[in-house]
Amino acid sequence: MAQKYLITSALPYVNGELHLGHLVGCWLPSDVYARFCRAMGRDVLYVCGADEHGTPAIIGAAKEKMPVKEYNDKYYEKHLRAVSDFNLSFDLYGRTHTDLQEKLVQDLFTRLDEQGLIEERETVQPFSIDDNTFLTDRQLVGTCPKCGYDKARGDQCDKCGSIYEATELLNPKSTISGSSNIENRPTKNLFFLASKVESAWKKWLSEHAPRWSKTASAIAKGWANEGLHDTSITRDLSWGIPVNKPGYENKVFYVWFDAPWGYVSISQAANKDWETWWKNPDCYYAQFMGKDNVKFHSVFFPEQELAMNDNWKTVDLLKSMNFLNFAGGKFSKSEGRGIFLDEAINIAPSDCWRYTLLASAPETDDTDFTIERFADIVNKDLNGMLGNFVSRVCKLSNKNFGNIVPKGTQVDSTLKTQIDEKLKDLTDALEKCEFRDAIFALRSMWAVGNEYMTINAPWALVKDGKMDTAENVLYNCFQLIDFYARVSAPFIPNASEKMQNIFATTHDLSWPKQFEARIANGTVFTIPENLFERIDDDKVKELVEKHSNKSDKPELIIVKIVDIKNHPSREDLHIVTIDDGKTKQDIVCGAPNVRKDMLAVFAPVGAIIPKTNKPIKPRSVAGVESRGMLCSGAELNISDDDDGIYEITDNKKPGQVLK
């Protein structure tokens, strides 16, 4: 019996447009892995869906002046369109506002309550006097109490990643009305007593985290060091799963108490035998998400599963991606920065996006997406290496031997050895969910075929009258086309199908164990249309001008150093707090001359460094994220000093742009 594989992709909020970051952050990696597992003959249940609850949907609906349900329906349809456009193979792309989800969450809550793991507590929460309502996490915006970022949310800062209580937010404003007329008032909420399952969770984490991606493991271990906190699981909202407890009729469950169980309710809708995955200890469970969701999947969800003591399947592999940025900043439709999925599919076919995004997957650090790199990969790898190989083989064979696969006597042994080595690399990378490594192995496999054809030069063999030898070379090349269709299918499924359809007698796309001859002599084939089209320079220029918001390009600014701390693991580095006159943030600095109260030049992410003429990218320095850098005189083309940071000595103020 085939082993069960459960694969889930993080549920994106139903509000707003989906962009390339959503695609590479969780959808594409999970889809490639699911397709690979199916090709290996495994019994796969692969689900995802729209997260419909919480404040994002309420705020979005209010902005568009629509009832929340209608608003959710509108954007759910957009999700479904994107799933279809980018050929994502979910068994079901569901949603969380369903009867199944409500029954599941309420039943789970009752079980936790009966086990003594729910407690009523009085808390203090921000209350908007002008809106006459308590404000939850995303109904608040203000200044981060940790780094000074002035667009922080009520529960989390998107800039420094800090988590805090809504009452800690500085200068809070309501996102409903924009009012700052806010006071803290007492209210009652229900808490899940996570502290009671901390020991079981820590034991579970120590056994599971070593198998996760490095980013996911590091984030989860950070929470383990801090210890589990009892979590409020109810909110004063009008939209969500109703709390099934007397006295709480006007509250709903916190979205992160509700959302992860959406995987289960969507599985229930997708397959009547859902329990053979979710209640099966021998099932292998892989989760895919962006790094901002790791805390909920490594802490909130498994601690609840463990607390139930009801044989729920917990995650085996947690694969998280870092952020994909565009032109140095986050994707933003309102600011005209980035490419969104409804636009992307009109620019190039889905296979182009699937392959190029995974080739640049932000697996270890945040990555800055560029249109130039996208075009370069499409032109060199997809069109130049794979597409041209398939076209040349078919056209050359048809010209000299007709539209049937030439006679071959054997598979070339050297070719087989080379391909089998690359196949092992590719299979290993996919088993580990290392997608950049997988793309490298796949590209290397395509390169082997191109090199084989170049070295053996069947056109020259034909010219010299060595027809039998030429036929055998082309026979091997046709076996490669079939083989490439199989190993490429998880990444570029449309192109793989086109490669298989070349042959009158098609074969399955099962995952190969070795390079083998499946295409018989004399098989009729058809010369295909080009698998891919080049993206020319004019098109690249057009796309850059359209999608890069030049006015939003960050500039070099003057900052004041207000605090210096030792780096936690490197003696030669410091954590430097800088003030730009509006906000404060921490960066990593190794300059020997850095000191408190010094004025320096700061290059934020996306700003161009004069010496290299390249934009600054976010990076992790010895485990500490740094979104920008303090510049030396050499980097600014002001002096030859490249060791220390350049000090501003004239009458400048923090926040001024360096001219």
Side-chain angles (χ1 to χ4, degrees):
M1 185 182 224
Q3 185 182 356
K4 298 276 188 178
Y5 273 68
L6 175 62
I7 303 171
T8 60
S9 182
L11 313 179
Y13 280 124
V14 78
N15 67 303
E17 303 286 353
L18 296 168
H19 53 66
L20 297 179
H22 292 111
L23 192 59
V24 74
C26 53
W27 277 4
L28 275 185
S30 59
D31 185 67
V32 168
Y33 186 64
R35 288 176 179 272
F36 166 70
C37 287
R38 292 190 191 109
M40 291 284 284
R42 297 164 180 169
D43 191 2
V44 172
L45 178 60
Y46 173 38
V47 297
C48 187
D51 181 355
E52 299 188 84
H53 297 140
T55 53
I58 297 172
I59 293 170
K63 285 181 179 179
E64 297 194 23
K65 298 179 180 178
M66 299 172 65
V68 180
K69 181 64 170 65
E70 290 182 18
Y71 175 85
N72 282 10
D73 289 344
K74 171 185 173 180
Y75 283 97
Y76 179 63
E77 289 301 317
K78 288 178 178 284
H79 284 211
L80 292 178
R81 169 56 61 187
V83 166
S84 174
D85 285 344
F86 291 91
N87 215 341
L88 302 167
S89 62
F90 301 117
D91 289 299
L92 177 63
Y93 189 84
R95 55 199 306 181
T96 59
H97 193 69
T98 64
D99 292 341
L100 280 173
Q101 177 77 352
E102 181 171 318
K103 182 179 186 306
L104 175 67
V105 171
Q106 291 181 344
D107 286 350
L108 294 170
F109 167 76
T110 298
R111 184 178 178 90
L112 291 173
D113 198 15
E114 290 172 348
Q115 293 178 197
L117 292 171
I118 303 296
E119 182 177 283
E120 180 181 88
R121 295 180 184 177
E122 183 174 271
T123 61
V124 175
Q125 284 185 227
F127 183 89
S128 172
I129 295 172
D130 293 338
D131 298 312
N132 193 32
T133 185
F134 283 100
L135 300 176
T136 57
D137 311 324
R138 295 204 178 208
Q139 290 174 315
L140 280 167
V141 65
T143 302
C144 172
K146 308 291 185 181
C147 75
Y149 179 55
D150 61 0
K151 295 180 181 178
R153 290 183 280 147
D155 63 339
Q156 180 180 0
C157 176
D158 287 337
K159 190 167 189 177
C160 71
S162 295
I163 307 291
Y164 41 77
E165 294 297 326
T167 52
E168 297 180 75
L169 191 69
L170 305 177
N171 308 315
K173 290 184 179 181
S174 164
T175 58
I176 300 171
S177 62
S179 172
S180 58
N181 191 13
I182 294 170
E183 65 181 28
N184 294 325
R185 292 185 181 180
T187 183
K188 290 183 178 180
N189 276 299
L190 298 174
F191 279 70
F192 168 62
L193 303 183
S195 55
K196 287 194 173 184
V197 297
E198 181 172 357
S199 59
W201 173 78
K202 282 187 173 180
K203 181 177 184 297
W204 171 86
L205 184 70
S206 67
E207 296 169 351
H208 287 73
R211 299 195 293 269
W212 300 352
S213 64
K214 290 181 180 179
T215 298
S217 181
I219 292 172
K221 288 176 181 177
W223 279 83
N225 293 334
E226 183 178 327
L228 296 187
H229 301 286
D230 298 339
T231 308
S232 172
I233 60 168
T234 53
R235 293 292 187 270
D236 292 276
L237 291 173
S238 58
W239 175 258
I241 302 280
V243 179
N244 51 315
K245 188 176 181 69
Y248 284 82
E249 290 82 4
N250 295 324
K251 295 180 188 280
V252 298
F253 285 112
Y254 174 42
V255 65
W256 278 109
F257 180 77
D258 147 33
W261 293 98
Y263 299 132
V264 179
S265 69
I266 294 169
S267 297
Q268 290 173 332
N271 194 303
K272 63 181 177 62
D273 296 323
W274 63 274
E275 284 189 331
T276 62
W277 282 274
W278 279 103
K279 294 294 187 76
N280 179 0
D282 295 325
C283 172
Y284 185 81
Y285 183 12
Q287 294 176 346
F288 295 82
M289 70 205 64
K291 65 180 180 181
D292 53 334
N293 283 336
V294 168
K295 58 182 175 292
F296 302 109
H297 291 78
S298 65
V299 184
F300 284 26
F301 190 28
E303 72 186 11
Q304 292 167 27
E305 289 184 291
L306 294 169
M308 299 288 177
N309 195 26
D310 194 27
N311 198 35
W312 285 106
K313 179 62 193 173
T314 58
V315 63
D316 294 295
L317 172 69
L318 198 159
K319 175 70 176 183
S320 69
M321 290 286 187
N322 291 279
F323 294 142
L324 185 76
N325 295 317
F326 189 95
K330 289 190 173 183
F331 285 77
S332 173
K333 197 136 194 170
S334 63
E335 296 176 11
R337 189 196 305 114
I339 298 177
F340 289 73
L341 299 190
D342 55 346
E343 303 165 317
I345 199 65
N346 294 320
I347 293 172
S350 61
D351 279 357
C352 294
W353 296 108
R354 290 174 63 100
Y355 180 87
T356 56
L357 287 171
L358 286 171
S360 307
E363 291 182 290
T364 54
D365 295 292
D366 292 353
T367 300
D368 200 42
F369 175 85
T370 67
I371 291 169
E372 293 88 347
R373 176 163 170 75
F374 168 72
D376 188 57
I377 294 174
V378 169
N379 292 342
K380 288 181 179 178
D381 290 11
L382 296 177
N383 182 69
M385 221 183 285
L386 179 63
N388 280 349
F389 176 81
V390 172
S391 179
R392 289 167 67 202
V393 169
C394 292
K395 289 178 180 178
L396 183 63
S397 186
N398 182 68
K399 178 181 178 181
N400 295 285
F401 303 103
N403 67 331
I404 59 172
V405 173
K407 297 175 184 176
T409 55
Q410 60 185 5
V411 170
D412 186 283
S413 59
T414 301
L415 177 63
K416 175 176 168 52
T417 298
Q418 291 176 309
I419 290 292
D420 286 350
E421 287 177 356
K422 303 301 181 186
L423 175 62
K424 182 181 184 304
D425 292 341
L426 176 58
T427 304
D428 288 348
L430 285 173
E431 291 283 19
K432 297 174 183 176
C433 292
E434 299 292 345
F435 296 100
R436 281 201 314 239
D437 288 349
I439 289 287
F440 180 81
L442 182 63
R443 182 193 301 120
S444 299
M445 206 176 289
W446 296 343
V448 168
N450 279 273
E451 184 181 18
Y452 172 78
M453 194 172 184
T454 299
I455 291 173
N456 288 279
W459 54 89
L461 293 171
V462 169
K463 185 176 180 181
D464 293 341
K466 300 177 180 178
M467 305 303 284
D468 289 347
T469 307
E471 281 191 288
N472 198 62
V473 170
L474 290 169
Y475 168 81
N476 274 275
C477 289
F478 275 110
Q479 307 309 323
L480 281 174
I481 291 175
D482 170 60
F483 188 83
Y484 288 164
R486 299 168 75 183
V487 295
S488 303
F491 306 91
I492 47 174
N494 288 335
S496 291
E497 186 176 345
K498 289 178 182 178
M499 284 189 275
Q500 272 294 334
N501 289 341
I502 287 171
F503 305 107
T505 304
T506 58
H507 295 74
D508 62 62
L509 292 171
S510 59
W511 195 257
K513 294 182 179 178
Q514 61 180 352
F515 180 51
E516 57 186 337
R518 298 199 308 174
I519 308 301
N521 293 330
T523 299
V524 174
F525 71 88
T526 303
I527 299 176
E529 296 181 2
N530 292 338
L531 294 182
F532 299 96
E533 298 290 340
R534 279 186 56 81
I535 302 174
D536 61 33
D537 293 342
D538 289 342
K539 184 66 173 178
V540 170
K541 183 179 179 181
E542 174 193 332
L543 292 172
V544 168
E545 290 178 353
K546 180 179 180 181
H547 295 284
S548 296
N549 186 354
K550 301 297 190 300
S551 64
D552 197 47
K553 180 68 70 176
E555 297 185 271
L556 304 176
I557 57 173
I558 310 300
V559 296
K560 183 178 181 179
I561 297 171
V562 295
D563 194 20
I564 302 173
K565 296 185 180 71
N566 292 328
H567 191 283
S569 63
R570 289 270 298 273
E571 293 183 358
D572 58 327
L573 297 176
H574 296 92
I575 308 299
V576 178
T577 303
I578 59 172
D579 183 352
D580 65 5
K582 294 182 179 178
T583 64
K584 296 176 182 178
Q585 68 167 298
D586 291 341
I587 63 167
V588 180
C589 179
N593 66 327
V594 64
R595 71 177 192 281
K596 190 175 179 180
D597 296 327
M598 182 179 185
L599 288 178
V601 179
F602 176 63
V605 169
I608 302 293
I609 297 297
K611 182 179 180 180
T612 61
N613 198 32
K614 292 182 179 179
I616 288 291
K617 296 181 179 180
R619 59 190 182 126
S620 180
V621 184
V624 178
E625 187 170 6
S626 190
R627 297 187 61 81
M629 62 176 281
L630 295 173
C631 302
S632 68
E635 288 161 335
L636 297 170
N637 286 335
I638 293 175
S639 70
D640 294 330
D641 182 13
D642 204 17
D643 294 325
I645 57 176
Y646 183 76
E647 182 173 6
I648 300 295
T649 56
D650 53 3
N651 190 25
K652 299 286 187 183
K653 293 182 179 180
Q656 285 185 271
V657 174
L658 181 72
K659 300 295 184 182

